[in-house]
Amino acid sequence: MRYEMLPIKQIELDKENPRIARVMEMYVNPTYEEIILALGVGETNYESGSNVTFHSLKESIRTNKGIIHPILVNKKADGKYIAIEGNTRLAIYFDFHEKKVAGNWEKIPCIIYDNLDEQTIHSIRLQAHLVGVREWDPYSKAKYLNLLRNSEHLTWSQIVDFCGGKERENRYYVDAYEDMQQYYAPIVTDEAPFDPTRFSGFVELQKPGIKEALMKAGLNLTVFSEWLRDRKIVRLENTRRLPGILSNPVFKKAFLEYGDKKAVTMMDAQAMPANTKDLSLVQMAKVIAEHLRKITLEEIQRLKNNQDSPEMLALLDVQDELKALMDSIGVDK
Amino acid sequence: MVESLLHKRLVAKISKWVQRTSAEEIIILSDAADSSLTGSSPPRLEGCIPDIYAIGKKSNFIFIGEAKASQFDLESGHSEKQFETYLKHCSVKQSSMVILAVPLELINCAKSILCAIKKANNLKEVSTYVLGISDLL
């Protein structure tokens, strides 16, 4: 195993790569362009959602003028170099080189293995794509974003280029980090110490209407922090339900006495039409799936333009609940 | 599978901690398959079965140990009921204690949960302990 800068033209994309294999099943002899398409390199519709991660990777490579982690290459007995891990990054180099993007894209950093057997290649692919690297938890990510923004004085645009994501999301993280330091950190105790898992509650707090609802109810961010510390709010996503809870005396009383779960259950029960209350989970799931299949482009556009609408909050609620259930069952997708 | 292995490791850590901490000889009841303990199951307490149930041979104090391998499990309604039940059970025996073992990043979360349940149920006098970094390494 050795490190080398290899000319990209000497390296072949791995046709056994699961992402490329998709295309291999569709075409007899896929062209280079079709393989590139399969890796998402040619996509320009970055706002479509599914391609945001890829776009972040591409922009990060462009900004850094290269990759940080070398790709893994297998030198076969016949002298051919095959990229066994890092095909997307290699394809981005190809793309930048072809489009004459500023920078040196002719050579790419590689770890070269000699004539690996199939089993070792599988093991490397599995570790890279199924196990993967461990993402930072939200609090750690926010701490780092805060350092970049407030100590290194990077612009939001630079932060997005380096770290990916959307500007608004990164702003929420930095503002949430500051609120947590200012209001939550001073009130922690030995028995209820600083708990970074409460951080997402502060991210929710940044969304439109939440702080206003607290102020309107005569409350402040220290009280909100106490709710998080004392687990009055257990499900952090319920923070976004606070405007509805605090504006209704019955829900507010239930919340202050029993916590978020009770108040949200009461709110949802009131909002639900009488004839749907007796539906089983399966029946309800089918109804939701059917509704989602029928959703029109106009409705999608309307939701996209108003991401803090009650409809979006309800959909986010379903998404959170479903994800939590799937996580507990052990289903990732 | 990973979570289940982690759970087993955490239960073993509680067991070690209980044996190391107890000032007198104890009987440990655990369902852990690799347990070198008595082999008897812990008792069912209001529908909840703890991972570890230990009794002091002389003074009859009780140690109840519970392991939670994920945040989802730690914060679930079922866990809340378990912790409340175990705290109430320990409140009637002097020097008894509820012990929790969780992954490192959830230690403070676990402490906050126990603190909130104790506060809500007037059980502040019951001793609790969340295994710390040194206990888990």
Side-chain angles (χ1 to χ4, degrees), chain A residues 40-78:
Chain A
V41 178
E43 290 277 340
T44 51
N45 181 19
Y46 301 132
E47 293 305 313
S48 64
S50 61
N51 215 27
V52 169
T53 310
F54 168 74
H55 176 57
S56 300
L57 174 64
K58 191 171 178 178
E59 290 314 307
S60 165
I61 292 173
R62 190 200 300 269
T63 305
N64 287 301
K65 304 279 186 209
I67 54 175
I68 297 164
H69 300 294
I71 66 167
L72 306 183
V73 172
N74 183 28
K75 186 180 183 187
K76 293 170 73 173
D78 59 8

Side-chain angles (χ1 to χ4, degrees), chain B residues 23-79:
Chain B
E24 64 180 82
E25 213 180 326
I26 47 171
I27 301 166
I28 300 182
L29 309 176
S30 170
D31 269 339
D34 55 351
S35 172
S36 56
L37 313 168
T38 64
S40 306
S41 294
R44 184 182 287 270
L45 310 171
E46 291 180 36
C48 306
I49 303 172
D51 291 317
I52 297 266
Y53 189 91
I55 311 158
K57 278 189 174 175
K58 272 187 191 167
S59 47
N60 284 342
F61 66 79
I62 299 161
F63 279 169
I64 298 181
E66 186 65 33
K68 296 292 172 191
S70 71
Q71 189 177 352
F72 182 81
D73 190 11
L74 177 65
E75 295 191 314
S76 68
H78 171 67
S79 293

Side-chain angles (χ1 to χ4, degrees), chain A residues 272-288:
Chain A
M272 199 180 284
N275 59 349
T276 57
K277 285 180 184 168
D278 297 327
L279 290 180
S280 69
L281 181 62
V282 174
Q283 289 168 322
M284 196 82 82
K286 283 181 178 174
V287 170
I288 293 171

